[in-house]
Amino acid sequence: QEMKNCYGEDIELHVIGFGGGTDTSQLHQIASASAKGRVHTTSDIDGLSKVFVQIAGGSSDVANILEGEISKRISDAVTNRLSAEYMG
């Protein structure tokens, strides 16, 4: 309700459940905060990329950019974790 009060009914809200066993009832409750709320679920990284492309309007360039950014963040997180374990 707070979101509707602040932004009205026009905001496009996408709620994404990632991984197995996603509780879609809670996601639908969140998405219902907007008249344009949508719930997407996926269990793997390829599906997640497709969800982002669908949200962005179908451009494959978006998928490539997102895939690159996600890969970079995962690589950075692994590097940081390994560095912390090695130093600590």
Side-chain angles (χ1 to χ4, degrees), residues 9-77:
E9 298 284 335
D10 291 343
I11 191 165
E12 190 172 321
L13 176 63
H14 295 270
V15 183
I16 303 170
F18 183 70
T22 302
D23 180 3
T24 57
S25 62
Q26 187 175 21
L27 299 179
H28 283 287
Q29 183 179 6
I30 294 167
S32 71
S34 170
K36 296 181 179 181
R38 295 201 50 212
V39 172
H40 309 269
T41 58
T42 183
S43 59
D44 58 38
I45 196 72
D46 290 331
L48 185 60
S49 178
K50 289 175 185 173
V51 167
F52 283 124
V53 169
Q54 180 184 8
I55 291 169
S59 171
S60 62
D61 290 341
V62 173
N64 293 332
I65 291 168
L66 287 172
E67 184 178 335
E69 185 62 29
I70 290 168
S71 296
K72 180 184 177 305
R73 289 180 185 221
I74 291 171
S75 176
D76 289 348

